[in-house]
Amino acid sequence: MPVYRAPLDDFRFLVEEFLDLDQAADLPSLTDCSADDIRAILREGARLAETVLQPLNAVGDEQGVRLDDDGRATLPEGFAEAYQTYCEAGWNGLTADVDYGGQGLPVFLGLCLSEMLNAANASFAAYPGLTHGAVEVIERHGSDEQKQRYLPPMIAGRWTGTMNLTEPQCGTDLGLIRTRAEPATDGSYRISGTKIWISAGEHDLADNIVHLVLARTPDAPAGTRGISLFIVPKFLPKDDGNAGERNRVRCAGVDRKMGMKASATCEMQYDNAVGFLVGEENRGLAQMFTMMNAARLVTGIQGLGLASVAAQNAASFARERLQGRSLAGPKYPDRPADPIIVHPDVRYMLLKSRALVEGARALGLYTGLQLEIEHRHPDPERRRQAGHFVALMTPIIKAFFTDMGSEVANLGLQVHGGAGYIHDTGVEQFVRDVRITQIYEGTNGVQALDLVGRKLVADNGDLLKSFFSAVQSFIDSVRGEEGMAEFVDPLEQSVKRLASTSALVYQQMSRDPLEAGAASSDFLRLFALTALAWMWARMAAISQRALDAGSDHQTLHQDKLAVARFYFARMLPETLGLEAKVAAGAQTLMALEDDRV
Amino acid sequence: MPVYRAPLDDFRFLVEEFLDLDQAADLPSLTDCSADDIRAILREGARLAETVLQPLNAVGDEQGVRLDDDGRATLPEGFAEAYQTYCEAGWNGLTADVDYGGQGLPVFLGLCLSEMLNAANASFAAYPGLTHGAVEVIERHGSDEQKQRYLPPMIAGRWTGTMNLTEPQCGTDLGLIRTRAEPATDGSYRISGTKIWISAGEHDLADNIVHLVLARTPDAPAGTRGISLFIVPKFLPKDDGNAGERNRVRCAGVDRKMGMKASATCEMQYDNAVGFLVGEENRGLAQMFTMMNAARLVTGIQGLGLASVAAQNAASFARERLQGRSLAGPKYPDRPADPIIVHPDVRYMLLKSRALVEGARALGLYTGLQLEIEHRHPDPERRRQAGHFVALMTPIIKAFFTDMGSEVANLGLQVHGGAGYIHDTGVEQFVRDVRITQIYEGTNGVQALDLVGRKLVADNGDLLKSFFSAVQSFIDSVRGEEGMAEFVDPLEQSVKRLASTSALVYQQMSRDPLEAGAASSDFLRLFALTALAWMWARMAAISQRALDAGSDHQTLHQDKLAVARFYFARMLPETLGLEAKVAAGAQTLMALEDDRV
């Protein structure tokens, strides 16, 4: 069975050496939080993930979610107790607002925790993940009364949250929503309709479930401009803050899925359920997007977490499994065969996994810091710049990290050979669990279109400029440093390739909007691989300097340099093909009639 | 639920227009078999696959294999009846030797059938697939008496076959085999040991199961040179040809797997079971490789079949699912939204799938014809040349077709969006079923090493030359033809890239054997994409000529040209990156110590 060891050394490296927290020193969330505090928090989070959540991961896959005839869902054995442990230690409010009972710690710490939870037990992690998104929506768009009523129990974890968007006839295209909201005389609404694929829609973890539901009021305009957002609690809150009367919302079914089997994916039926409008009518889509953006980052981190646990189990297996001999002659002659890690092709799979996981982790935390700056920095110009970076990176992190999740989970299975395909080995679960991340919170195709169609052109291209100028200042800062040319030169070429491709795409799509869609997926991957090259060059520079200065973490710094070299030699060249594919444009994609594709 | 429509039009195109059967006119298997015969056979095969096997595919996934306490396995409802239908119509002996009751039809027809069976129900197809491999081993290496005894019931399908290689401590490295074979006084042997992951090891389809088992005799040399091959029937054959006394072999367990749940993957225990030596002692590995090579081709076809059914269901879904509007403005304004097939990125996924499936199908059938020539052509020089081509293509077809199988099955799931992740939609089964094909019959890493380490250097590079000269004569034959430059020019560049990369790899590995492993996977993919470019250029040339001559199949020929253009524009450029990755060599792969990768 798989095990999980949280990457505490890498977290330490990234937080203490890589993130350059000085540039963010004015952040209120950092002033009261020392490096030692952060280490201690992450160590405790690791303990929870490794010893409480990971042992339930296979149990969850095996038992799934049971729904009884009254629409009550029961999660697998141990989940409710684990959730209690998680909440009691205050993890659910780690980064939440102190005014509502949160701990107000920086977002990037929350991302580290989220990676560990997802690596240990992705199904479990879905429940707090959804709650956090719902908290953010209410925080941003709810009335004071709604905040007072819902945020404290949700931040404590006593109540959980959901987002109800999808209906049978509408997934990506929310303009097709049919769920109705009729105004009642007391200012509330009566919600009726069917929502599908609602994660955490029903379970036995918490006292109450706060559904955020998109619906149409009677006179709403057609399409996406006529959608409003409602809070529809499973139990109507009493004035004392506790859950009261049962509302007319019910779970009508729990879907059987490829994976994530302990995450309840529910069909929810609203039958004149009491709902409370959030903000104004017809603003629902924009409000829900608050949640979607956060959810997209967290979905990327879910891909990263599953990649991380898959990669580490593959590496352990490759060190233990004895088959064949090194092509260069027996390397462990005293054993009946060499461990398969001696084979270059096995190493290739492991190094790809490592370069992706550690590169993505760096990019994720870097973006987490920008998010923190965007939300909490006193300087509005710093907030604006950071916001641009986050907006640009959100679709890249969602799509690339989750594609990587599937890629790395599959590489891990492949390293295991036949054993990987056997259910009881436990690594095929990673492949099944991670597969949904490429789809939900906006398919990866939708993310790519968001990048090309929105982010590339937003604010006169300022988002893109914020990226290029950050990379350029890094390049300028290390150019000429001993040993840096091998990283900086190909990074520079790669950035040029991205810049010229961006310009080309911009040109092509201003001529024909279909060119945006034709370029999108390849362009996103080209962008992501270039961003990772920047991360690896930066990690290499930090590691080289640390080694020159007599590093206390010599192994880690040497490894970073070695993996950086691998990345530039064997992964970054993929961008050559991507550049050519984007340049080929839409023509061959659009040539066939719809009924002949 | 998914449906399956066999690609009869594409089969017709490939057999009648593409395969150039004139060059193989001396084949005895072709003289009595007209184009009309072939069409009729494929039509009947399609009916079996579409109406008998496909409806059992989800049932098989749901019910799996049940093993009772006496070690008897029961397949899902309907499997035994379907198998009877399959055998009674003579499908099991389609390409088998007429002397033992087969129909002696050409191998490429068998590949078409195999693709259809695997597309319709891959678990079902495993049972005849294993039997065919076992038949081939006995045909090649068995004594006359063994052939008389085993081949007729196996070719008729009344008995099935298995291959028993793997043991808990040995998968790829068969030198580690421990199963013992003690000579008995009557010339037979007594086999004892445990074999794992034995496909079709136990089931209720047939009267008898003929296990081919690798084991060591008492004085055998260590390693792979001390392995012998034995026939170990579940029931010892009586002199009247029927199954008699129960042998001491028993199924001790059926593995739970990620997919292929109706294919019984068994732990087999041999406890002094009666076994009959095939050929001489210590020749087992070479004999088993007869079976492995055939099995590798068929595994590639399994990947193709699953890709094919996944792709066609994705295309249907994309034509029906209404979400959003075309970026160029509403294309179906009378509907509430456009079908998602209007989106360039959805088309990209579908066209990738189609270009891979149809390109691979062409390469598979072309190789099938060469296999037929290798086995049955009267001219020894033609046989030798064809044999070279088949030997070179076998690892490419096994690895690339199965990688493609996973890629296309995953693209198909992605096109379905959230619905794809729901078990009952049925398309996630394709992803789970196809995943094993990248592993069994030699992992794809092992295939890549076979290509680089063996096939590239075999016979002084003659295998490689056979490929380049075949491509070159195609290029020469169409150069200057109207409309061919757009295909021929990039094909020629791509072939040059492959040639120079081959030379580089050859050079690098003669300096350091680890370079072979470091290059292997990327090199195999570069080779495969180039071979597919050749196939697409050839299909384009045939289609262009047919259109110029007033084709009877105008739609098909126009589509082939369109997909060929897509392939060259948006898929072949991947070779740019692969070339650079191979050129980077082993260094960065081998830098880290084994305990630090």
Side-chain angles (χ1 to χ4, degrees), chain B residues 109-128:
Chain B
L109 258 189
L111 295 185
C112 295
L113 178 66
S114 183
E115 183 191 321
M116 293 190 284
L117 300 183
N118 276 294
N121 193 327
S123 282
F124 178 93
Y127 298 91

Side-chain angles (χ1 to χ4, degrees), chain A residues 254-277:
Chain A
V254 171
D255 285 309
R256 297 196 306 160
K257 307 187 301 295
M258 183 184 191
M260 293 286 284
K261 296 195 176 184
S263 157
T265 301
C266 303
E267 179 185 326
M268 301 305 297
Q269 283 177 354
Y270 296 85
D271 173 23
N272 271 310
V274 177
F276 306 101
L277 181 68

Side-chain angles (χ1 to χ4, degrees), chain B residues 14 31 85 158 265 324 330 491 523:
Chain B
L14 291 172
T31 41
T85 305
R158 286 187 292 113
T265 302
L491 173 62
F523 180 76

Side-chain angles (χ1 to χ4, degrees), chain B residues 484-547:
Chain B
M484 273 302 108
E486 63 171 315
F487 306 112
V488 171
D489 294 350
L491 173 62
E492 214 165 5
Q493 284 163 28
S494 184
V495 169
K496 270 188 201 147
R497 188 170 300 135
L498 177 63
S500 65
T501 304
S502 305
L504 177 72
V505 171
Y506 188 87
Q507 229 173 31
Q508 283 175 322
M509 65 196 248
S510 53
R511 224 178 29 235
D512 176 359
L514 291 171
E515 293 284 354
S520 55
S521 290
D522 288 332
F523 180 76
L524 185 143
R525 192 164 174 90
L526 172 62
F527 207 137
L529 289 169
T530 309
L532 250 59
W534 169 34
M535 294 294 119
W536 273 113
R538 213 178 135 179
M539 289 193 277
I542 290 166
S543 298
Q544 187 61 62
R545 283 181 211 145
L547 288 168

Side-chain angles (χ1 to χ4, degrees), chain A residues 62 167-174 176 197 255-260 265 315 319 321-328 331-332 336-337 339 341-345 347-348 350-352 354 410-411 413-414 416-424 428 431-436 438-439 443-446 449 512-514 516-522 554-556 558-559 562-563 565-566 569-571 573-574 576-577 580-582 584-586 588-597, chain B residues 62 167-174 176 197 255-260 265 315 319 321-328 331-332 336-337 339 341-345 347-348 350-352 354 410-411 413-414 416-424 428 431-436 438-439 443-445 449 512-514 516-522 554-556 558-559 562-563 565-566 569-571 573-574 576-577 580-582 584-586 588-597:
Chain A
E62 203 65 56
E167 299 179 7
Q169 78 291 352
C170 80
T172 298
D173 186 353
L174 294 167
L176 303 175
W197 306 341
D255 285 309
R256 297 196 306 160
K257 307 187 301 295
M258 183 184 191
M260 293 286 284
T265 301
R319 278 191 272 270
R321 175 72 171 170
L322 308 181
Q323 290 293 288
R325 291 295 183 185
S326 165
L327 295 165
K331 192 166 174 190
Y332 299 81
I341 204 162
V342 303
H343 301 302
D345 194 59
R347 288 172 156 261
Y348 199 178
L350 297 175
L351 283 165
K352 261 186 210 168
R354 184 165 173 185
N410 271 296
L411 287 171
L413 193 160
Q414 191 71 19
H416 279 79
Y421 199 66
I422 303 294
H423 174 72
D424 295 334
E428 58 92 36
V431 175
R432 289 185 289 102
D433 282 357
V434 79
R435 188 62 186 82
I436 189 59
Q438 297 171 282
I439 296 171
T443 66
N444 286 358
V446 168
L449 205 55
D512 176 0
L514 292 169
S520 56
S521 290
D522 288 332
Q554 208 172 336
T555 311
L556 182 141
Q558 287 167 345
D559 287 4
V563 179
R565 286 189 186 105
F566 164 79
R570 306 285 312 224
M571 299 195 70
E574 190 187 333
L576 295 170
K581 290 179 193 183
V582 172
T588 63
L589 291 178
M590 304 312 296
L592 284 171
E593 291 301 317
D594 293 341
D595 59 351
R596 280 164 65 182
V597 174
Chain B
E62 204 64 55
E167 300 180 7
Q169 78 290 351
C170 81
T172 299
D173 186 354
L174 295 167
L176 303 174
W197 304 342
D255 285 309
R256 296 195 306 159
K257 307 189 299 296
M258 183 183 191
M260 292 286 284
T265 302
R319 277 191 274 269
R321 175 72 170 168
L322 308 181
Q323 289 296 285
R325 290 295 183 186
S326 165
L327 294 166
K331 191 166 174 189
Y332 299 81
I341 204 162
V342 304
H343 301 302
D345 195 60
R347 288 171 156 260
Y348 198 2
L350 297 174
L351 283 165
K352 263 186 209 168
R354 183 163 174 187
N410 272 297
L411 287 171
L413 194 159
Q414 191 70 21
H416 280 78
Y421 199 65
I422 303 294
H423 174 72
D424 296 333
E428 57 92 35
V431 175
R432 290 185 290 103
D433 282 357
V434 78
R435 187 64 186 82
I436 189 59
Q438 296 171 282
I439 295 171
T443 65
N444 287 358
L449 205 55
D512 176 359
L514 291 171
S520 55
S521 290
D522 288 332
Q554 208 172 336
T555 310
L556 182 141
Q558 286 167 345
D559 287 5
V563 180
R565 286 190 187 105
F566 165 79
R570 306 283 315 221
M571 299 195 70
E574 189 186 334
L576 295 169
K581 291 180 191 181
V582 172
T588 63
L589 291 179
M590 305 311 295
L592 284 172
E593 292 301 317
D594 293 340
D595 59 351
R596 280 164 63 183
V597 173

Side-chain angles (χ1 to χ4, degrees), chain A residues 331-538:
Chain A
K331 192 166 174 190
Y332 299 81
D334 51 327
R335 302 197 206 167
D338 287 341
I340 61 173
I341 204 162
V342 303
H343 301 302
D345 194 59
V346 172
R347 288 172 156 261
Y348 199 178
M349 294 191 272
L350 297 175
L351 283 165
K352 261 186 210 168
S353 304
R354 184 165 173 185
L356 287 168
V357 165
E358 294 182 15
R361 186 178 289 136
L363 183 60
L365 290 194
Y366 187 91
T367 307
L369 179 59
Q370 301 304 313
L371 192 61
E372 186 71 17
I373 294 171
E374 181 191 6
H375 286 170
R376 290 175 173 164
H377 202 282
D379 176 359
E381 177 55 24
R382 288 291 301 280
R383 287 204 304 270
R384 199 185 65 90
Q385 280 177 13
H388 279 169
F389 187 88
V390 172
L392 183 69
M393 281 300 144
T394 297
I396 293 176
I397 287 178
K398 159 53 168 88
F400 182 74
F401 285 22
T402 59
D403 284 349
M404 165 195 99
S406 272
E407 186 178 348
V408 172
N410 271 296
L411 287 171
L413 193 160
Q414 191 71 19
V415 168
H416 279 79
Y421 199 66
I422 303 294
H423 174 72
D424 295 334
T425 305
V427 297
E428 58 92 36
Q429 187 189 343
F430 301 140
V431 175
R432 289 185 289 102
D433 282 357
V434 79
R435 188 62 186 82
I436 189 59
T437 62
Q438 297 171 282
I439 296 171
Y440 63 13
E441 312 305 342
T443 66
N444 286 358
V446 168
Q447 304 301 321
L449 205 55
D450 176 51
L451 176 66
V452 172
R454 290 205 196 95
K455 305 300 168 62
L456 204 60
V457 295
D459 286 307
N460 296 313
D462 266 8
L463 278 58
L464 207 61
K465 281 176 216 152
S466 78
F467 174 83
F468 285 120
S469 79
V471 182
Q472 196 56 50
S473 39
F474 163 73
I475 291 175
D476 294 343
S477 75
V478 296
R479 201 196 303 278
E481 263 182 48
E482 176 127 355
M484 272 302 108
E486 62 172 316
F487 307 111
V488 170
D489 293 350
L491 172 62
E492 216 165 4
Q493 284 163 31
S494 185
V495 169
K496 272 189 201 148
R497 187 171 300 133
L498 177 63
S500 64
T501 304
S502 305
L504 178 72
V505 170
Y506 187 86
Q507 228 173 33
Q508 282 175 324
M509 64 196 247
S510 52
R511 224 180 27 236
D512 176 0
L514 292 169
E515 293 285 354
S520 56
S521 290
D522 288 332
F523 180 76
L524 184 144
R525 192 165 174 89
L526 172 62
F527 207 136
L529 289 169
T530 308
L532 250 59
W534 169 34
M535 293 294 118
W536 273 112
R538 210 176 139 181

